[in-house]
Amino acid sequence: MEALSLVTRESFDAVMRMYTPTVYGIAWSRLSNRADAEDVTQDVFVRYFGADITFESEEHRKAWLIKCAVNAVNSYARSSHFKHSARFEDIDTLADIAADDDVARNAENKELHGTLHAAVMQLPPKFRTVVHLFYFEDMSIAQISEVTGERPATVKTHLSRARDRLRKLLGEVEL
Amino acid sequence: MDFREEYKSEMNSAMPDEQAMERIRQGVAEKLAAPKRKPFPVRRVAAICGSAAACLVIGFTAIMLTAGNRFITSGGMNMAPSALRPSTESLAGGADMGTQNICTPNMDGSYLGDQNGGDADMNNAPAEDPTKPAGAVNDEPPSENRDENRGDDADSAPQYSDGKSNSDNSGSLEHQQPENFWGCSTTVSFSEGMITLTINGTVRRFEAISTSGGGGGSEDSYYEMPSADETNIMPANPEDNGTPTAPEVNGGDELIEVTADSGELLFVKTDGGKLWLYDAELELLGMFVEIE
């Protein structure tokens, strides 16, 4: 805690308590593994407290943390450690989700079949983050575009295709 | 079913509990408390290594270019074997004959007896008397000095070449021995008024058309040879009354430094079918024209 001399204990705990669910949710929605999600969450907060940034508002702070979380998740997902490590709890979830025709059949074979998270995890990785930010964080297309670095049209396309796949997986659902 | 509400509720249920939150908080605190490792300075190392490599390349290139220029300047490029040359006319380059084996003529007194003394018997003006036209007979009697310089003064004449190369000029690049350097050999021999120039088996014969040994010392005598066929005597430059025209020594033409077997330093210049012979003082000793 000596390294937190510039950060008071109260502010450290407050920030951790307030934004850990947001950061952890982004990581878990993408990685679907609790240990990996915790690692990514720690990295994000280490970057946050290590950076000398003055935030204008809580929205600015939240946007910074979300963007940092998205980047950290993308980096973690590209790492060889994540690609080559076996995950016992989610090994079925990370099964092949290649073709559209196979999506429904794959979902039927999943242990978590019937849950929304299991359906979201059948989506391609680039769709999962968009769905999570849109439905869980209640972010707009423009905000998602700013956070992910994609164009708004691209975000809209990803969201539309994700909805189509979710309809195939979940049947009649209000999206 | 409202997907948004259902998804939020599922995600909230999947959020970390208090234990997981404390675990994350401790992990962050430990990582912040840990001393930061200074990353390996890849860019700095790459810049230093790149600069060193560039300096090495530049230095090596400069050394190679300097050596190449020195080699070209010294005429080393012309020292290639004659088989690689377009023709034997490249002898006019001069620098390719850094040293030669001089074969002195067979100088018996009977041969040179009537030829010494300032070209008295040659229908050609001596070099010291440019006022005389070509073909004019020199009426001046041979001087005593000239008589002393007759070719029968065999004691002063150098011995004939034994094929040994000149070792006096082996100290510098300009005096590299051709036969040692490129495996070629150039031989000049004097016989019966002719100079035979042999370069790697290619024989070129030169006939004396003018000699200038009238006022010269004894060392010039054995080079003073008449033409074998006096009817073919031709002035070196008919426009200046037959006075042999020395090549422009200072005009950039390179003289070939040769050393006779006697140790005497001479210079030779070839230009197409002509050959000029100079002494150490760069005085023209004689001109020769190539015989077909």
Side-chain angles (χ1 to χ4, degrees):
Chain A
M1 287 299 174
E2 291 77 8
L4 301 176
S5 58
L6 298 178
V7 182
T8 62
R9 182 64 178 259
E10 290 75 16
S11 64
F12 177 77
D13 289 340
V15 170
M16 290 291 293
R17 195 181 310 111
M18 184 178 295
Y19 294 106
T20 294
T22 301
V23 176
Y24 183 88
I26 293 172
W28 191 66
S29 68
R30 171 73 179 276
L31 304 174
S32 188
N33 180 276
R34 295 189 181 279
D36 292 339
E38 288 183 12
D39 287 343
V40 170
T41 304
Q42 289 184 14
D43 290 341
V44 171
F45 281 107
V46 168
R47 291 184 195 178
Y48 170 80
F49 291 112
D52 187 14
I53 302 173
T54 302
F55 296 101
E56 300 172 355
S57 61
E58 284 301 317
E59 291 298 321
H60 185 201
R61 189 192 312 272
K62 183 178 181 182
W64 190 94
L65 283 169
I66 289 175
K67 188 167 187 176
C68 185
V70 170
N71 293 333
V73 167
N74 289 334
S75 299
Y76 195 86
R78 284 195 299 265
S79 65
S80 59
H81 164 71
F82 179 76
K83 291 178 179 176
H84 298 99
S85 60
R87 290 163 181 77
F88 298 104
E89 62 178 284
D90 301 314
I91 195 166
D92 292 331
T93 308
L94 297 176
D96 184 22
I97 49 175
D100 291 348
D101 297 337
D102 296 334
V103 171
R105 181 171 50 83
N106 290 333
E108 289 174 0
N109 296 330
K110 304 307 174 196
E111 182 182 357
L112 298 176
H113 173 66
T115 66
L116 297 182
H117 178 69
V120 171
M121 291 309 296
Q122 306 304 311
L123 300 175
K126 56 185 177 182
F127 293 172
R128 292 181 213 163
T129 303
V130 174
V131 168
H132 179 80
L133 294 177
F134 185 81
Y135 287 106
F136 185 76
E137 298 294 340
D138 294 327
M139 297 176 69
S140 64
I141 299 294
Q143 289 173 328
I144 296 173
S145 170
E146 187 176 351
V147 167
T148 59
E150 301 282 355
R151 294 186 305 166
T154 305
V155 173
K156 194 177 294 184
T157 302
H158 288 175
L159 190 58
S160 175
R161 292 179 180 173
R163 285 168 176 165
D164 293 341
R165 296 196 182 193
L166 287 173
R167 285 193 187 95
K168 288 183 180 178
L169 291 171
L170 302 173
E172 293 299 325
V173 62
E174 185 181 348
L175 292 170
Chain B
M1 182 177 68
D2 186 6
F3 179 81
R4 186 183 298 271
E5 295 302 325
E6 291 290 329
Y7 184 73
K8 278 187 178 181
S9 63
E10 274 197 21
M11 290 299 295
N12 285 327
S13 64
M15 284 298 127
D17 53 6
E18 284 300 322
Q19 276 190 333
M21 290 283 285
E22 184 63 22
R23 196 166 51 242
I24 293 172
R25 195 180 63 81
Q26 285 185 352
V28 173
E30 289 176 359
K31 288 183 180 178
L32 288 173
K36 291 184 178 179
R37 286 184 179 179
K38 199 171 184 179
F40 185 74
V42 178
R43 291 185 178 178
R44 182 174 296 178
V45 171
I48 293 173
C49 293
S51 301
C55 290
L56 285 176
V57 169
I58 291 172
F60 182 74
T61 306
I63 291 172
M64 295 301 294
L65 288 176
T66 303
N69 289 339
R70 187 179 302 161
F71 181 69
I72 293 172
T73 303
S74 65
M77 291 294 292
N78 294 329
M79 297 171 71
S82 59
L84 300 177
R85 299 177 184 174
S87 67
T88 56
E89 296 299 322
S90 61
L91 284 172
D96 54 347
M97 298 167 62
T99 55
Q100 294 177 350
N101 294 330
I102 299 297
C103 300
T104 56
N106 184 5
M107 300 193 314
D108 55 353
S110 59
Y111 175 70
L112 295 174
D114 56 345
Q115 298 165 16
N116 294 324
D119 304 323
D121 297 335
M122 295 177 64
N123 293 330
N124 196 359
E128 304 83 28
D129 191 3
T131 58
K132 291 181 179 287
V137 177
N138 188 356
D139 295 331
E140 292 181 7
S143 65
E144 183 180 357
N145 187 23
R146 289 173 181 170
D147 290 337
E148 293 174 354
N149 295 332
R150 298 170 71 91
D152 54 359
D153 189 7
D155 295 336
S156 62
Q159 296 302 314
Y160 312 127
S161 172
D162 56 358
K164 291 188 297 183
S165 61
N166 181 16
S167 61
D168 295 335
N169 299 325
S170 60
S172 62
L173 186 60
E174 288 82 4
H175 303 297
Q176 290 286 342
Q177 296 290 346
E179 47 273 71
N180 294 335
F181 199 86
W182 290 108
C184 63
S185 62
T186 304
T187 304
V188 177
S189 61
F190 297 85
S191 62
E192 297 182 2
M194 290 190 300
I195 287 180
T196 302
L197 193 64
T198 305
I199 304 165
N200 267 4
T202 303
V203 179
R204 300 176 66 188
R205 296 179 183 278
F206 294 87
E207 183 183 18
I209 59 173
S210 172
T211 56
S212 58
S218 60
E219 61 270 20
D220 299 334
S221 60
Y222 65 94
Y223 292 112
E224 298 170 2
M225 294 170 291
S227 170
D229 184 4
E230 294 186 357
T231 59
N232 291 334
I233 290 176
M234 54 179 289
N237 186 357
E239 295 181 5
D240 58 355
N241 299 325
T243 303
T245 303
E248 294 182 5
V249 178
N250 297 325
D253 292 335
E254 292 188 54
L255 294 178
I256 304 159
E257 181 180 333
V258 296
T259 304
D261 287 348
S262 62
E264 182 184 6
L265 184 64
L266 299 173
F267 292 92
V268 171
K269 176 184 180 300
T270 59
D271 183 10
K274 298 179 182 177
L275 182 144
W276 290 267
L277 184 65
Y278 299 88
D279 62 2
E281 305 298 328
L282 295 182
E283 282 191 20
L284 181 64
L285 298 178
M287 295 179 60
F288 303 86
V289 64
E290 188 174 10
I291 304 171
E292 292 295 331

